[in-house]
């Protein structure tokens, strides 16, 4: 599956952004979809995952309660709604398709290109 992320930009602290990741390929609905991020000089980290049906979600503690992941299998798109953004959320955000146990493990089969989110204080 090929992934194309979009929706990044510059926002003030406390603001909101919605990222989208459009997928091509007929296997989209069979994958767990996720978002990761990489801040400058830091390792890439997990942000959120959503099950193939959309009914199951899993979040990193740092974004729980502020970010919401969802998917639309008919549109082969996954979303990340980010609210109450903080400067520490500044990073390049990547979408991914793969397998997850929803307990901290996410085996990525395909990465999308990143989209930059910058949160100013």
């Amino acid at each position: 599956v090929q992934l194309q992320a979009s929706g990044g930009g510059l926002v003030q602290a406390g603001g909101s952004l919605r990222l989208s990741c459009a997928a091509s390929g007929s296997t989209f609905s069979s994958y767990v979809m996720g978002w990761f991020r990489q801040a400058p000089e830091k390792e890439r980290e997990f942000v959120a995952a959503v099950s193939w049906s959309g009914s199951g979600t899993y979040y990193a503690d740092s974004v729980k309660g502020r970010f919401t992941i969802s998917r639309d299998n008919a549109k082969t798109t996954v979303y990340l709604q980010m609210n109450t953004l903080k400067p520490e959320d500044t990073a390049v955000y990547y979408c991914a398709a793969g397998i997850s146990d929803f307990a901290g493990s996410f085996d990525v089969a395909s990465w999308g290109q990143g989209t930059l989110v910058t949160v100013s204080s």
Side-chain angles (χ1 to χ4, degrees), residues 69-85:
I69 188 171
S70 62
R71 67 190 293 166
D72 185 333
N73 286 342
K75 295 182 179 179
T76 63
T77 301
V78 61
Y79 305 97
L80 185 69
Q81 177 66 43
M82 306 185 294
N83 297 329
T84 319
L85 282 160

Side-chain angles (χ1 to χ4, degrees), residues 35-48:
W35 287 95
F36 291 73
R37 66 186 181 186
Q38 187 167 18
E41 301 182 358
K42 291 189 177 181
E43 293 187 354
R44 191 172 300 189
E45 64 176 4
F46 169 80
V47 174

Side-chain angles (χ1 to χ4, degrees), residues 17-72:
L17 277 177
R18 189 175 83 154
L19 305 183
S20 299
C21 177
S24 61
S26 59
T27 58
F28 173 80
S29 61
S30 65
Y31 284 109
V32 172
M33 297 298 298
W35 287 95
F36 291 73
R37 66 186 181 186
Q38 187 167 18
E41 301 182 358
K42 291 189 177 181
E43 293 187 354
R44 191 172 300 189
E45 64 176 4
F46 169 80
V47 174
V50 60
S51 65
W52 66 270
S53 68
S55 61
T57 57
Y58 180 71
Y59 298 92
D61 288 342
S62 58
V63 306
K64 203 173 294 183
R66 300 187 298 121
F67 290 11
T68 302
I69 188 171
S70 62
R71 67 190 293 166
D72 185 333

